[in-house]
């Protein structure tokens, strides 16, 4: 080593004593030190004394510019005298004890670690080695090791590993020397190669000799030994070695001993160390088996239960929970196959991809739900494969399980498009015009001359066409109620006892004759409102079964129903209020305005007193305001007449009878014959606020412990199937009335199986999308037979996403039929103890994209019911069915005024045989003069679409708000119609919506990944919608704005995704010239306007980056191929808002519809903005973009300009059973979970990457 020249820092006196001594030591370096050993000892002893007694001396040595450390290290390297070496080690120990790590970093940077290892090797060769020298060397190495990233490699290469191991073995009883040796071994072991090497050297067995039962002595030593052992056991090889040595039993026995004796909890770290060792051993299959065989589940469960009351012991409970969940035997879902319960044969199967793979597999699967000893083939291959990947799983589980589009966090920007050719829109429709000419018929407005049209305002336009009838017909409706009536109090039909129906001449008779059959509501083919279609010969509930009959003799009284008032039409000019109207179609002279005569005081129950307009307003709905005044005195009587609430005042677009008509024309794969009550009655948004639910501390842990109890106390588990779609002849399993009854056999319904686990707890399994084996998120099902006031727990056990807004305040939705017939027809947020976490049901590698060892997730919630004999519905989000859309479109058409140009076309037929509607909305020209016709034809186009993903029902509610605004009578709506021609496809995936899918169409594919090359047979709606846009591009009429409405399950607020060359380049490492970055900033104008006028909209959550994984989505394809600069996906939260007016509230239909209306207002402002000659607003947008660059998230693979979405939680949300977090904070619930940190950006950012478009 070259001799360093002693330098002094400016400001340090040159006559400083310690610096003079260091100068003297520097001059002695080399041969002089070897010759003059005594002087070297004296000088180093004096330096040590000065540093030990004078703080300033240490500062002088370590000050910037001083070469004191180099001199000391050179002396240490050159001396051969043990005492001099010890003196220098004392100096270094004193220097490195203070300084907050900076001094250690300086020491490491000067090569100090290597010198210490050299001395260690030299000293170990002496027999016997100097105990004091070994003590000081290892004490110093223990301080330095954690700060030196290459410490383990240096130790291995220098041979220091074996030296330390030998010293440890020779000093097992010498606790003074043993402690620093163990501290160094602990650091060595953090290097995986070192850990394996030490294991081969017998260090694992050595550690088990040191760890001991409860004792108040040497607790520090024991803690360090356990830390070292825990680090060693991260190695799979060492874990096997520990299992083979029978040490799992030893660790459990030690843990029990410390748990029982550490009554004052003073040694929690030792107990935690034992648990960490168990956690690492159980990362391998052999370890889990040994843990189960030695009764580890019961031991940890009992000890954890005893720890629960003491909050400071949470780290122990959390780690125990992780171990137990990991060791819980992996089960298969209780299904014969993970394919959908419904089968639809495709006209042809794609050549490759998941659907082709699905069709290549054998039908069905093994039905045994327990873990099998051998791998299961094909669809249901559920085996414990984690030995193949557990070391990576443990570290990256939270990162890599976020859906099929997720990318590794380490390669955050890999998904950003870097091909500049793809980043510049080509504006090339890609198909010859001759092929596209057929689409001219969908654009009649571009050639309409209105010759011969009468522009008198009293006349109605002939430009509308509709395939829907808005006719009402009269018929009684039977709805069971909460009151058990005696036969003598059965009400008689009050309007027409024999309300015969035109279609089929079917009659509903009064049920005053006692009968033992269940009630019989609505069979669609006969229009009878029947009850519970009995697959055993009893009558069936077409209106989706209110209550199914108990087996007791008293069932007659309990099931007798109130008859609802006949529904009739009232013509404005006809006195015959009960006149029947046929159902086949709109008759000549049939009235436009209809009202419902009712006798019960339903409106007094909460409708008439509510603020009108909750359903979105609308014209022509203020008649019938005196309804509900009659019969008030009978409100509480036994024979009170209850009926379908007349919600016309608040729901101008809803008509129960018309809805039934629409359902009859809807085609489903299961051939549904029932109507769900919420879709029949309608939904009036509640006027009260629904805040995000606060998460109760410890709720997830308590739920997980209840799950673990299933294994520990198996005799407490009922395990009774009560509903099963895989038994098509009789999915509802009858019992003695001790279980809830479930049903999902109606449009958009999704529940495949219900299993009663405990008396008031049910596991629920969702159905896969048709022609798919995954996508479990949307649910919509009915429950009846409940007990009032009892708390029920529901567990949806086959969710797939790695996190959910259910962990952040979102609640499920519930609809009570009793509330509805009492005048409160509405979905309300409900549920307590809601959480979402990984469970013990294994996912097939086929369904997990080839990944093995993946698990499903449980979404659990608890709720109680307020009414006896009620029927309640639960849904993931506010349902909006295809039949609801058809009804709304029919009602909207009735609202059309002569000033509105409205045309409704059928774009195409879907795979399932349903029509895909296409709307054209604009303003009629004021006259047929050339100027007006020219202005009419040359209006810019706005192209809107929604509901490509069936589970994103919020997109339909936003679209409803848009459509109602466009058809409204306000001056803004009129201006908007005069400014633009709107082409709207309100539901791109009718088949998926009808059949209760979450993401796919009947083809089993995500339609929003088919835009690049849609197949006309498999993806007709996408093929023809894209063709419309290609046609417009060919005739030079590409839309000014294209927007696809979506829902987002992982983020809050409403926001947009757009496309920008500049912002994409900024997020990547590609080099681009200024000409490449030339871009009109107008793409930011619309979201900017929305952020100013729409309270739910968040500009901070918007992103304009183009990703490779999104290149086949509508947004990117329309931007790239059609050349639409303002091409967007508008995402609406399923949960709620964390900013603005609605901060802290869950989102409802009122807010969603408002968003749809505000989108229209923003388009009007955009029109004015684009017409301005002053382009200052573009400069403002430029500054906005630059301002957001500071928010770029390098660690997020999907959301590049998003702020953190979630608040920090006191309780960490652990949805990974294999977490490797070693040091859980006491205040956090699950030490291994995702630590919510307000300063890190959205880790959840949507594993949902595939959910962003």
């Amino acid at each position: 080593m070259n001799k360093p020249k002693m330098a002094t820092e400016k400001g340090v006196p040159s006559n400083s004593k310690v610096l003079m001594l260091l100068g003297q030591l520097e001059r002695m370096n080399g041969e002089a030190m070897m010759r003059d050993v005594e002087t070297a000892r004296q000088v180093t002893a004096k330096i040590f004394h000065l540093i030990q007694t004078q703080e300033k001396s240490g500062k002088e040595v370590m000050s910037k510019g001083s070469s004191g450390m180099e001199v000391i290290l050179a002396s240490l390297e050159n001396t051969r005298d043990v005492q001099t070496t010890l003196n220098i080690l004392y100096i270094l120990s004193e220097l490195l004890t203070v300084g907050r790590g900076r001094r250690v970093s300086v020491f490491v940077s000067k090569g100090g670690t290597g010198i210490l290892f050299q001395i260690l090797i030299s000293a170990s060769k002496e027999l016997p080695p100097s105990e004091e020298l070994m003590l000081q060397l290892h004490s110093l190495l223990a301080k330095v090791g954690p700060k030196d990233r290459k410490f383990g490699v240096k130790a291995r290469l220098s041979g220091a590993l074996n030296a330390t191991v030998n010293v440890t073995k020779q000093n097992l009883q010498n606790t003074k020397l043993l402690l620093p040796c163990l501290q160094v071994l602990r650091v060595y072991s953090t290097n995986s190669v070192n850990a394996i090497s030490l294991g081969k050297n017998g260090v694992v067995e050595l550690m088990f000799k040191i760890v001991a039962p409860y004792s108040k002595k040497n607790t520090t030593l024991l803690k360090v030994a356990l830390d070292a052992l825990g680090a060693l056991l991260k190695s799979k090889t060492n874990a096997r070695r520990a299992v083979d040595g029978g040490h799992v039993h030893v660790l459990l026995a030690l843990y029990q001993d410390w748990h029982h004796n550490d009554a004052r909890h003073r040694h929690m770290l030792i107990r935690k160390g034992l648990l960490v060792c168990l956690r690492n051993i159980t990362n391998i299959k052999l370890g889990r088996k040994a843990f189960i065989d030695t009764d580890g589940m019961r031991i940890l469960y009992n000890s954890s239960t005893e720890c629960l009351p003491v909050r400071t012991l949470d780290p122990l409970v959390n780690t125990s929970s992780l171990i137990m969940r990991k060791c819980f035997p992996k089960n298969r879902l209780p299904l014969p196959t993970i394919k959908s319960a419904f089968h639809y044969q495709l006209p042809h199967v794609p050549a490759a991809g998941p659907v082709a793979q699905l069709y290549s597999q054998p039908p069905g699967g093994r039905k045994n739900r327990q873990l099998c000893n051998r791998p299961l083939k094909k669809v249901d291959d559920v085996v414990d494969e984690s030995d193949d990947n557990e070391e990576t799983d443990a570290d990256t589980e939270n990162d890599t399980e976020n859906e099929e589009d997720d990318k590794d966090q380490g390669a955050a920007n890999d998904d950003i498009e870097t091909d500049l050719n793809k980043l510049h829109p080509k504006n090339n429709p890609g198909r010859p015009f001759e092929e596209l000419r057929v689409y001219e018929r969908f654009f009649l407005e571009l050639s309409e001359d209105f010759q011969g049209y009468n522009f008198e305002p009293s006349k109605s336009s002939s430009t509308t066409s509709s395939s829907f009838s808005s006719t009402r017909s009269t018929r009684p409706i039977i709805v069971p109620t909460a009151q058990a009536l005696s036969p003598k109090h059965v009400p008689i039909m009050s309007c027409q006892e024999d309300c015969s129906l035109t279609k089929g001449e079917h009659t509903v008779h009064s049920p005053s004759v006692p009968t033992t059959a269940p009630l019989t509501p609505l069979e669609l083919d006969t229009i009878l409102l029947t009850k519970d279609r009995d697959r055993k010969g009893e009558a069936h509930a077409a209106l989706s079964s209110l209550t199914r009959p108990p087996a007791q003799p008293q069932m007659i009284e309990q099931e007798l129903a109130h008859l609802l008032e006949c529904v009739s039409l009232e013509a404005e000019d006809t006195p015959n209020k009960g006149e029947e109207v046929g159902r086949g179609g709109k008759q000549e002279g049939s009235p436009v305005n209809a009202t419902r005569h009712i006798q019960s005081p339903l409106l007094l129950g909460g409708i008439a007193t509510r603020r009108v307009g909750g359903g979105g307003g609308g014209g022509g709905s203020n008649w019938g305001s005196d309804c509900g005044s009659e019969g008030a005195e009978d409100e509480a009587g036994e024979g009170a007449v209850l009926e379908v609430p007349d919600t016309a005042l608040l729901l101008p677009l809803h008509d129960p009878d018309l809805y039934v008509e629409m359902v009859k024309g809807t085609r489903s794969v299961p051939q549904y014959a029932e109507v769900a009550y919420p879709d029949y009655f309608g939904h009036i948004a509640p006027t009260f606020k629904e805040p995000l639910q606060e998460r109760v501390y410890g709720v997830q842990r308590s739920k997980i412990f209840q799950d673990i109890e299933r294994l520990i106390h198996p005799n407490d588990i009922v395990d009774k199937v009560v509903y099963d779609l895989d038994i098509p002849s009789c999915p509802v399993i009858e019992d003695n009335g001790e279980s809830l009854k479930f049903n999902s056999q109606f449009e958009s319904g999704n529940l495949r199986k219900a299993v009663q686990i405990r008396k008031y707890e049910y596991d629920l399994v969702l159905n896969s999308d048709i022609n798919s084996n995954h996508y479990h998120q949307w649910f919509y099902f009915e429950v009846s037979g409940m007990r009032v006031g009892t708390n029920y727990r529901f567990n949806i056990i086959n969710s797939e996403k790695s996190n959910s807004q259910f962990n952040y305040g979102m609640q499920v939705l519930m609809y009570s039929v009793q509330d509805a017939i009492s005048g409160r027809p509405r979905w309300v947020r409900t549920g307590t103890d809601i959480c979402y976490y990984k469970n013990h049901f294994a996912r097939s590698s086929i369904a997990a994209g080839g990944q093995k060892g993946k698990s499903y997730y449980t979404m659990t919630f608890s709720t109680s019911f307020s009414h006896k004999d009620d029927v309640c519905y639960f849904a993931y989000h506010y349902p909006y069915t295809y039949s609801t859309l058809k009804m709304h479109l029919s009602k909207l058409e009735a609202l059309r005024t002569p000033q509105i140009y409205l045309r409704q076309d059928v774009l195409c037929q879907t795979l399932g045989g349903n029509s895909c509607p296409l709307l054209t909305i604009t303003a009629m020209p004021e006259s047929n003069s050339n100027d007006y016709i020219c202005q009419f034809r040359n209006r810019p186009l706005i192209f809107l679409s929604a509901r490509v993903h069936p589970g994103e029902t919020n997109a339909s509610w936003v679209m409803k708000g848009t459509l109602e605004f466009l058809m409204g009578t306000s001056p803004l709506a009129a201006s908007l119609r005069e400014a633009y021609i709107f082409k709207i496809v309100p539901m791109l995936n009718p088949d998926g919506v009808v059949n209760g899918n979450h993401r796919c169409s009947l083809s089993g594919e995500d339609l929003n990944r088919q835009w690049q090359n849609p197949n006309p047979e498999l993806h007709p709606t996408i093929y023809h919608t894209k063709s419309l846009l290609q046609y417009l591009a060919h005739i030079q009429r590409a839309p000014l704005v294209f927007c696809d409405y979506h829902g987002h399950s992982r983020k809050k607020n409403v926001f947009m995704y757009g496309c920008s060359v500049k912002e994409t380049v900024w997020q990547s490492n590609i080099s681009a010239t200024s000409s490449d970055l030339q871009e009109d900033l107008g793409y930011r104008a619309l979201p900017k306007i929305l952020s100013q006028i729409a309270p739910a909209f968040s500009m901070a959550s918007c992103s304009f980056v183009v990703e490779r994984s999104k290149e086949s989505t509508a947004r990117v394809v329309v931007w790239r191929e059609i050349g639409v600069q303002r091409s967007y996906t508008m995402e609406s939260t399923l949960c709620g808002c964390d900013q603005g007016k609605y901060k802290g509230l869950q989102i409802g239909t009122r807010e969603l519809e408002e968003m749809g209306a505000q989108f229209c207002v923003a388009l009007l402002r955009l029109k004015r903005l684009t017409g301005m000659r002053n382009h200052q607003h573009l400069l403002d947008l430029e500054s906005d973009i630059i301002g957001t660059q500071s928010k770029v998230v390098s660690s997020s693979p999907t959301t590049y300009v998003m702020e953190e979405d979630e608040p920090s939680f006191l309780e960490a949300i652990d949805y990974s059973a294999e977490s490797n977090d070693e040091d859980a904070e006491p205040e956090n619930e699950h030490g291994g979970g995702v630590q919510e940190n307000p300063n890190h950006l959205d880790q959840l950012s949507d594993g949902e990457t595939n959910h962003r478009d």
Side-chain angles (χ1 to χ4, degrees), residues 942 944 962 965-966 972-973 976 979-980 982 1040-1041 1043 1045 1056 1082 1084-1094 1097 1126 1128 1130 1154-1170:
I942 305 291
L944 306 178
T962 294
F965 185 90
L966 284 174
L972 282 178
L976 190 62
Y980 298 111
F982 286 86
L1040 177 71
V1041 172
C1043 190
Y1045 291 2
M1056 277 181 159
R1084 269 185 167 257
L1086 187 60
K1088 182 70 175 176
I1089 294 167
L1090 281 169
S1091 70
Q1092 295 168 351
I1093 66 173
F1097 194 88
R1126 297 179 176 86
Y1128 306 104
M1130 187 163 75
E1154 176 191 70
M1155 188 66 233
Q1158 295 287 13
F1159 182 83
C1160 294
V1161 176
L1163 288 174
L1164 197 55
R1165 290 201 182 181
L1166 180 70
K1167 173 72 174 176
R1168 294 168 184 164
L1169 201 62
T1170 52

Side-chain angles (χ1 to χ4, degrees), residues 975-1018:
S975 298
L976 190 62
R977 290 190 297 267
E978 290 166 5
Y980 298 111
I981 296 172
F982 286 86
K983 306 296 285 191
I984 302 173
V985 185
M987 192 171 282
L988 279 166
N989 191 353
D991 290 344
V993 172
V994 169
N995 292 289
N997 284 5
H998 172 63
R999 196 164 185 84
C1000 299
S1001 68
L1002 290 186
S1003 71
E1005 297 166 296
D1006 180 347
L1007 290 182
N1008 203 36
R1009 294 297 184 277
Q1010 310 304 323
W1011 277 78
Q1012 271 188 320
N1013 190 26
N1015 182 294
E1017 272 194 282
L1018 297 179

Side-chain angles (χ1 to χ4, degrees), residues 5 7 17 87 119-120 365 380 495 500 576-577 585 588 655 669 755 868 907 944 1245 1250:
K5 292 185 177 180
K17 210 167 188 182
N87 287 347
I119 297 170
L120 174 60
D380 295 313
C495 79
S500 60
N576 299 332
K577 297 179 180 178
E588 285 298 319
D655 180 337
V669 172
V755 182
K868 185 184 178 187
L907 176 63
L944 306 178
S1245 75
N1250 71 335

Side-chain angles (χ1 to χ4, degrees), residues 20 26 148 203 205 232 266 329 401 473 560 614 633 643 676 714 733 817 851 913 930 981 1022 1103 1138 1167 1202 1243 1251:
M20 290 172 61
E26 180 185 17
D148 189 345
V203 178
E205 289 76 10
L232 288 166
R266 291 178 176 173
E401 196 165 279
S473 64
L560 285 174
E633 66 276 2
E643 60 184 63
I733 290 114
V817 173
Q851 293 179 305
N930 283 341
I981 296 172
I1022 304 302
S1103 174
D1138 60 8
K1167 173 72 174 176
M1202 284 195 180
Q1243 282 184 334
H1251 203 73

Side-chain angles (χ1 to χ4, degrees), residues 257-273:
D257 182 57
W258 280 89
H259 171 74
H260 290 137
N261 288 297
D262 184 24
R264 296 190 177 183
H265 312 305
R266 291 178 176 173
H267 304 294
M268 192 179 76
L269 292 178
I270 290 175
R271 292 156 68 180
K272 176 71 185 291

